[in-house]
């Protein structure tokens, strides 16, 4: 008996690590033998993956977009699992995921056969009814990143398993599945999204919002700034699924999305009491993280380079309306699409409210008959002529991400009523509890800040000039109002101060650009030039673009000058400007050693880089605001091309177009190409149409002339 108890204790001791692993995975089943656990590297499937490569994945994506845009808006799609069965889409998803992880897009011919077999196993585990795919299944990864050299199995140490399980970094195969789902779902929802939505959508960005506001929001008096960004942080799973089921009826896809939402909400990292209560451990952890941030990191062989300094600096200037990106559970890159699916309900509600609120008035100068009617100049939509006391009641709406803007041409009571209706709708449909701080009502005369631009108006007064006296008289009665979209310089100063480029508020003083201390003069100037070019493009549609970009250029140029003064041991910025000129384009030497070669000789030999001057050193070099009129019913270029392509696919439309071309005496491109090919076959050269007409005219002149 003693021998049996000792033997049992020895066996139990050997099974202890395995029991800890199973308990750590929150496994509710009984302990299984090692042979029954899933193998992280399953055997390759019997089917050859190369035999499944039959079609170009771009053509598959094009067929999805054409099918979605050619279908009626009220149609549903019950069977989308067939697209998940196309192995070519999985290859494209794998390539895009590799590009995201490694920074390089691998061609299809460079993908290893083992990776193709693993990808086929992942596809089968997702599409088959008895598939074993689970989100964030770190112990059973069928497809791994090309940079992932380590593998965790049952025989791995407990510390290695714990570190992997506690890591918040998403696994590679989840990103591949998300890419496939995004390629399948995005076309069907993009064709049905409202045109009032501009966030997280292809072809739309904050610039389209600013241009739409400039073109369509002139004449509005009251604005409601809405903040529903709570949807971007967390959302009810039932709300998301009910919105998805209105378009997609496929059970497999809906099940994958629902499981990613629910598992992501349940599997959050739980801190232990030791981590929470041990103040010394938390302090040491903070110090270690600080050292890791300041420590210079050596990149691995296949690790992508981090974002350059100028790009990280520009990201810090992103407005709150554009900086917040949703992340739901294990949905990953699907989260922005799901957020738009939920908020599209609000867009549709506001579209009906805009139509119902409209009330035309014939005494008004614009919008006399319908919403689309306007008497003002379409080339100058910012200007609205003055009207009498009775004005047309009109409202408009636009949204970017979790923030929206409502413009109302009417009394403040209508704005208060509209705010109350929005609060009730969001509470009833989306489950959001909004208060007045989330829906602020502001008058246009005080300025409305949206996407770091201030929307305000200016009253235009006529100026009567008298040539006899040479004076001018300004009338007290305005002839109209002009919508102005300008940059908030206070916000710009605040962001520069947060990045330690300036100090002070009203009269900011530039500080040296310390992160570029160990970079060369050419590299520092090049980095800051890219930042200034991006800032000039960001403020492209602002009225005070020259002033804003000039201020940014002054801060960057002064910061670099102070940096160079400290690096090259010069006394002040004035000394730096006297040597390197105003745009810092001339080289600064570190020592006065006469034996050192000249910069021009080193540049000619290719030993140093050319130094580009800091851009926008003078106000005349800064581009002006772009006042190009924005079409009222604007759609992105890719949607316009899709609509034209769908029209050409219709045989009736194509035949009618062909008849009209023949009727007008025009030629088709196919006919011209066939004529060119025939000329090369018969004459060896191309005989253009003009030359043939000229030869015909010469022949007629010869016939008409007397012998």
């Amino acid at each position: 008996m003693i021998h049996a108890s000792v033997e049992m204790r020895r066996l139990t001791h050997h099974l202890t690590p395995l029991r800890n692993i199973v308990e750590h995975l929150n496994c509710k089943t009984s302990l299984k033998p090692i042979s029954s656990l899933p193998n992280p590297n399953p055997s390759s499937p019997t089917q050859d993956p190369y035999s499944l490569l039959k079609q170009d994945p771009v053509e598959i994506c094009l067929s999805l977009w054409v099918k979605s845009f050619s279908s009626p808006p009220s149609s549903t799609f019950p069977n989308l699992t067939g697209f998940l069965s196309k192995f070519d889409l999985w290859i494209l998803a794998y390539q895009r995921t590799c590009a995201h992880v490694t920074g390089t897009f691998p061609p299809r011919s460079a993908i290893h056969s083992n990776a193709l077999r693993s990808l086929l196993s992942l596809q089968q585990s997702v599409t088959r009814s008895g598939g074993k795919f689970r989100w964030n299944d770190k112990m059973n990864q069928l497809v791994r990143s090309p940079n992932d050299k380590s593998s965790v199995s049952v025989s791995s140490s407990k510390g290695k398993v714990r570190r992997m399980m506690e890591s918040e970094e998403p696994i590679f195969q989840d990103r591949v599945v998300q890419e496939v789902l995004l390629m399948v779902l995005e076309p069907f929802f993009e064709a049905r999204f409202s045109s009032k939505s501009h966030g997280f959508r292809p072809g739309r960005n904050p610039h389209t919002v600013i241009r739409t506001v400039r073109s369509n929001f002139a004449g509005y008096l009251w604005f409601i700034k809405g903040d529903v960004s709570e949807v971007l942080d967390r959302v009810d799973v039932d709300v998301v699924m009910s919105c998805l089921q209105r378009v997609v009826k496929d059970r497999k896809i809906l099940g994958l999305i629902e499981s990613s939402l629910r598992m992501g909400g349940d599997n959050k990292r739980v801190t232990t009491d030791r981590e929470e209560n041990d103040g010394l451990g938390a302090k040491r952890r903070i110090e270690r993280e600080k050292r890791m941030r300041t420590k210079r990191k050596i990149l691995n062989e296949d690790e992508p380079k981090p974002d350059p300094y100028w790009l990280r600096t520009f990201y810090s200037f992103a407005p709150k309306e554009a900086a917040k990106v949703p992340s739901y559970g294990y949905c990953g890159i699907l989260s922005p699409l799901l957020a738009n699916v939920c908020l599209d309900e609000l867009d549709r509600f506001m579209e009906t409210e805009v139509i119902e609120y409209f009330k035309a008035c014939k005494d008004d100068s614009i919008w006399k008959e319908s919403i689309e009617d306007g008497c003002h100049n379409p080339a100058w939509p910012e200007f609205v002529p003055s009207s009498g006391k009775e004005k047309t009641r009109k409202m408009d709406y636009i949204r970017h991400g979790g923030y929206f803007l409502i413009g109302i041409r009417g009394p403040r009571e209508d704005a208060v009523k509209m705010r109350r209706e929005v609060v009730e709708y969001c509470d009833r449909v989306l489950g959001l509890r909004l208060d007045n701080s989330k829906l602020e009502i502001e008058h246009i005369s005080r300025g409305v800040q949206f996407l770091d631009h201030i929307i305000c108006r200016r009253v235009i007064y006529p100026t009567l000039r008298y040539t006899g006296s040479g004076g001018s008289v300004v009338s007290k009665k305005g002839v109209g109002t002009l919508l102005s979209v300008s940059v908030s310089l206070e916000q710009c100063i605040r962001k520069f101060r947060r990045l330690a480029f300036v100090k002070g508020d009203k009269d900011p003083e530039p500080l040296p650009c310390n992160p570029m201390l160990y970079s060369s003069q050419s590299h520092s100037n090049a980095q800051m030039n890219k930042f200034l070019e991006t800032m000039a493009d960001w403020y492209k549609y602002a009225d005070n673009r020259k002033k804003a970009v000039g201020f940014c250029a002054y801060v960057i140029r002064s910061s670099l000058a102070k940096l160079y003064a400290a690096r090259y041991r010069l006394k002040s910025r004035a000394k730096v400007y006297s040597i390197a000129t105003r745009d810092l384009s001339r080289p600064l030497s570190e020592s006065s050693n006469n034996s050192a070669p000249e910069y021009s000789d080193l540049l000619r030999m290719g030993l140093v880089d050319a130094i580009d001057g800091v851009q926008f050193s003078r106000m005349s070099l800064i581009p002006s605001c772009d006042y190009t009129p924005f079409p009222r019913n604007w759609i992105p270029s890719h949607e316009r091309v899709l609509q034209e392509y769908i029209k050409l696919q219709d045989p009736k439309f194509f035949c009618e177009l062909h008849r009209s071309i023949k009727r007008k005496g025009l030629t088709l491109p196919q006919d011209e190409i066939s004529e060119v090919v025939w000329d090369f076959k018969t004459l060896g050269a191309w005989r253009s149409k003009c030359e043939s007409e000229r030869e015909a005219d010469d022949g007629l002149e010869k016939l008409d002339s007397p012998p």
Side-chain angles (χ1 to χ4, degrees):
M1 292 294 294
I2 296 174
H3 180 73
S5 61
V6 171
E7 186 68 15
M8 182 63 67
R9 191 180 299 111
R10 184 176 61 85
L11 292 175
T12 307
H13 175 72
H14 285 296
L15 288 175
T16 300
L18 184 60
R19 185 183 296 110
N20 292 337
I21 293 175
V22 176
E23 291 177 356
H24 189 76
L25 293 176
N26 297 325
C27 183
K28 298 182 180 180
T29 58
S30 59
L31 190 63
K32 298 180 180 180
I34 296 179
S35 59
S36 63
L37 290 175
N39 186 9
N41 296 318
S43 59
S44 60
T46 56
Q47 191 172 9
D48 186 14
Y50 291 99
S51 62
L52 301 176
L53 303 178
K54 301 177 181 179
Q55 196 174 357
D56 187 5
V58 178
E59 294 182 359
I60 301 175
C61 295
L62 177 60
S63 64
L64 283 169
W65 284 91
V66 171
K67 179 181 179 181
S68 62
F69 275 81
S70 59
S71 303
S74 59
S75 59
T76 58
F77 303 93
N79 186 16
L80 297 179
T81 311
F83 292 101
L84 295 182
S85 303
K86 294 183 179 297
F87 190 60
D88 301 275
L89 276 184
W90 290 82
I91 296 294
L92 180 59
Y94 178 82
Q95 291 173 304
R96 294 174 64 173
T97 308
C98 288
H100 171 75
V101 174
T102 64
T104 57
F105 188 87
R108 179 182 283 195
S109 58
I111 302 177
H112 199 269
S113 59
N114 293 334
L116 290 178
R117 294 187 182 94
S118 302
L119 197 60
L120 183 58
S121 301
L122 177 62
Q123 182 205 22
Q124 293 175 355
S125 66
V126 171
T127 55
R128 288 181 179 178
S129 58
K132 299 181 180 180
F133 173 76
R134 299 292 182 271
W135 294 101
N136 200 33
D137 191 1
K138 297 182 179 180
M139 293 297 294
N140 187 21
Q141 299 186 37
L142 300 177
V143 179
R144 294 184 177 272
S145 170
N147 296 340
D148 190 5
K149 304 300 182 183
S150 61
S151 61
V152 178
S153 61
V154 175
S155 59
S156 301
S157 62
K158 292 188 295 183
K160 190 174 183 180
V161 173
R162 186 182 299 109
R163 287 193 299 270
M164 184 193 67
M165 298 301 297
E166 293 179 354
S167 175
E168 297 180 358
E169 184 179 358
I171 60 178
F172 186 81
Q173 70 177 13
D174 284 4
R175 176 73 184 229
V176 175
V177 179
Q178 293 163 8
E179 287 280 1
V180 175
L181 291 176
L182 183 64
M183 286 188 288
V184 173
L185 291 177
E186 187 179 29
F188 297 101
F189 286 101
E190 278 294 327
R192 284 147 187 82
F193 280 157
S194 171
S195 59
K196 306 293 185 182
S197 170
H198 291 256
F200 316 126
R201 297 184 61 187
R204 294 173 170 86
N205 49 44
H207 276 172
T208 59
V209 177
I210 298 300
R211 298 185 71 185
T212 304
V213 169
R214 181 186 291 278
S215 299
N216 301 347
F217 279 68
Y220 296 124
L221 301 178
W222 297 98
F223 285 83
I224 302 177
K225 282 199 330 180
D227 180 6
V228 289
S229 59
E230 186 180 346
V231 177
L232 307 183
D233 296 329
R234 57 185 179 275
V235 68
D236 189 2
V237 179
D238 298 331
V239 173
V240 177
M241 298 310 299
S242 63
C243 296
L244 285 172
Q245 288 172 4
R246 296 179 184 178
V247 179
V248 178
K249 302 292 185 179
D250 191 282
R251 293 184 179 180
K252 172 63 70 174
I253 292 180
L254 292 176
L256 285 171
I257 296 176
E258 185 176 5
S259 62
S260 66
L261 290 171
R262 296 192 184 278
M263 291 180 63
D266 297 338
N267 291 281
K268 293 182 179 179
R269 182 182 176 184
V270 180
T271 58
T272 61
D273 296 337
R274 183 178 179 182
E275 290 179 350
E276 292 179 353
N277 300 328
D278 191 1
L280 183 60
K283 185 177 180 181
R284 289 178 178 175
R285 187 167 57 254
I286 293 173
E287 292 178 353
R288 184 174 66 252
E289 292 177 357
K290 187 176 180 180
R291 287 196 306 269
M292 292 301 295
R293 285 196 300 266
T294 57
K295 185 179 179 180
R296 194 168 183 178
K297 182 181 178 182
I298 300 177
L299 300 179
N300 297 327
E301 181 180 357
D302 298 330
E303 187 177 359
K305 294 182 180 179
D307 293 332
Y309 175 70
W310 70 269
L311 189 58
R312 298 195 303 270
T313 306
F314 175 71
Y315 284 161
S316 301
F317 273 78
K320 65 176 183 179
E321 293 88 354
K324 204 167 188 178
V325 180
S327 180
Y328 303 144
Y330 297 129
C331 292
I333 56 176
L334 277 174
S335 301
L337 177 64
L338 299 180
N340 275 332
V341 168
C342 296
L343 293 175
D344 187 64
E345 303 294 325
L346 178 62
D347 300 339
R348 298 300 179 184
F349 168 75
M350 287 305 305
E351 285 182 351
T352 58
E353 291 292 326
V354 166
I355 296 174
E356 293 176 359
Y357 181 77
F358 179 76
K359 183 180 178 181
C361 179
K362 294 185 178 180
D363 296 334
D364 200 353
S365 57
I366 57 177
W367 306 308
K368 293 181 179 180
E369 301 295 338
S370 65
I371 296 181
E372 303 298 331
D373 185 24
C375 298
H376 60 294
N377 187 3
W380 196 18
E382 299 91 347
F383 176 73
V384 177
S386 298
S387 302
K389 294 183 179 180
E390 294 294 331
K391 296 181 176 64
T392 297
R393 302 288 181 91
K394 194 174 184 295
M395 182 169 58
D396 210 339
Y397 163 86
I398 195 170
R399 180 179 64 84
H400 186 279
Y403 300 85
F404 62 85
L405 191 67
I406 302 175
I408 298 176
R409 183 180 173 90
R412 192 180 188 277
E413 290 76 11
D414 294 347
V416 174
K417 181 181 177 182
M418 189 69 247
R419 178 173 65 180
R420 184 168 57 252
E421 292 179 0
V422 171
V423 169
E424 294 176 356
Y425 182 83
C426 291
D427 188 13
R428 184 178 68 257
V429 177
L430 300 178
L432 294 178
R433 300 292 182 89
L434 303 178
D435 52 5
N436 293 343
S437 62
K438 297 288 186 180
L439 295 170
E440 300 178 355
I441 300 177
E442 300 180 4
H443 196 267
I444 185 64
S445 60
R446 304 186 64 178
V448 182
Q449 186 170 343
F450 194 70
L451 286 171
D452 276 359
H453 289 68
I454 298 178
I455 305 166
C456 57
R457 70 172 182 178
R458 291 180 291 171
V459 181
I460 306 299
Y461 297 97
T463 303
L464 306 177
R465 298 186 179 277
Y466 295 93
T467 57
S469 61
S472 60
V473 178
V474 178
S475 174
K476 295 183 179 181
K477 183 179 180 181
V479 297
T481 59
L482 184 68
L483 185 70
S484 175
V485 180
S486 57
V487 179
S488 174
L489 291 181
E490 291 85 3
Q491 188 76 6
C492 194
I493 293 173
R494 196 177 299 116
K495 291 183 177 180
F496 269 126
R497 188 172 65 249
R498 189 174 67 246
L499 292 171
F501 273 95
V502 297
K503 64 177 180 179
D505 292 330
K506 295 184 178 180
D507 190 13
E509 175 67 20
L511 297 175
C513 184
N514 293 326
M516 306 295 293
L517 179 62
Y518 298 103
S519 300
S520 62
Q521 184 180 356
S522 60
H523 180 71
S524 302
N525 287 7
Q527 289 284 305
M528 292 298 102
N529 278 337
K530 292 178 181 179
F531 170 73
L532 290 175
E533 289 175 2
T534 314
M535 292 298 296
D537 184 70
W538 167 242
Y539 295 135
K540 184 178 182 179
Y541 301 102
D543 291 337
N544 59 344
R545 182 189 187 186
K546 279 180 170 289
K547 186 176 181 180
V549 177
F551 173 75
C552 295
Y554 160 74
V555 171
I556 295 300
R557 193 171 61 252
S558 302
S559 179
L560 286 178
K562 283 193 172 183
L563 174 68
Y564 295 155
R567 181 194 298 170
Y568 298 107
R569 299 179 182 179
L570 302 175
K571 293 183 178 180
S572 61
R573 281 185 291 171
K575 186 67 173 177
V576 174
Y577 288 140
S578 64
I579 299 176
T581 67
R582 182 184 177 91
D583 60 352
L584 306 176
S585 59
R586 292 187 179 179
L588 296 166
S589 58
E590 296 185 1
S591 62
S592 58
N593 188 7
N594 296 329
S595 61
E598 293 291 336
Y599 171 78
S600 57
D601 299 334
L602 295 176
L603 181 63
R604 187 172 57 254
M605 291 185 292
L607 300 178
V608 294
D609 297 329
I611 301 176
D612 297 328
V614 179
Q615 292 192 11
F616 311 131
S617 58
R618 300 187 182 277
M619 191 66 71
S620 59
L621 302 176
I622 303 175
S624 302
C625 175
D626 187 358
Y627 290 105
T628 305
F630 200 56
R632 188 168 187 84
N633 297 320
W634 173 85
I635 59 174
S637 57
H638 71 278
E639 293 186 9
R640 195 181 309 113
V641 171
L642 270 173
Q643 293 176 0
E644 294 293 332
Y645 180 80
I646 292 171
K647 284 183 180 179
L648 292 176
Q649 294 298 315
D650 187 7
K652 295 182 179 179
F653 177 80
F654 185 79
C655 293
E656 183 62 29
L657 182 63
H658 190 76
R659 290 195 201 97
S660 62
I661 289 174
K662 294 297 184 182
R663 195 182 307 117
K664 294 179 181 179
L666 303 176
T667 58
L668 295 173
Q670 295 87 340
D671 297 340
E672 293 184 358
I673 293 174
S674 61
E675 291 178 1
V676 170
V677 173
W678 179 255
D679 289 341
F680 271 103
K681 284 185 176 181
T682 56
L683 304 176
W686 176 43
R687 181 176 58 181
S688 63
K689 187 176 181 180
C690 298
E691 292 179 358
S692 60
E693 291 179 354
R694 194 181 304 112
E695 291 177 0
D697 294 339
D698 294 342
L700 291 174
E701 290 178 359
K702 290 180 180 179
L703 291 175
D704 294 338
S705 60

